[in-house]
Amino acid sequence: MATKTTWKVRARVEKSGRYAEYDDVATIYSPQGVPASKDVLAAQLTEIVRQNPHLRGGKATGTATRIN
């Protein structure tokens, strides 16, 4: 059975003065239990770059804090 967790995620990728960021609550369903915060953040940063390919190779920062 999958585990459902809720996270407050702030993620930002910037390159050459351009940036994209995510600052919202994310609900994660994981088949292997509760994911680590670094894995949640990495997934969100990957999604930002997927939607904004011009930022690939830019500086990535952020935090992920579990709410429940």
Side-chain angles (χ1 to χ4, degrees), residues 20-58:
E21 57 189 3
Y22 179 88
D23 184 9
D24 205 352
V25 175
T27 300
I28 308 293
Y29 295 91
S30 175
Q32 283 100 15
V34 178
S37 62
K38 67 177 184 166
D39 296 330
V40 173
L41 180 59
Q44 190 58 54
L45 291 169
T46 299
E47 187 63 22
I48 289 173
V49 172
R50 187 184 70 75
Q51 292 178 12
N52 301 280
H54 62 279
L55 297 175
R56 189 174 318 252

Side-chain angles (χ1 to χ4, degrees), residues 2-23:
T3 302
K4 175 184 170 185
T5 54
T6 306
W7 298 79
K8 171 65 177 154
V9 181
R10 295 193 71 201
R12 179 180 172 112
V13 179
E14 63 181 285
K15 181 178 179 184
S16 302
R18 298 170 70 186
Y19 68 91
E21 57 189 3
Y22 179 88
D23 184 9

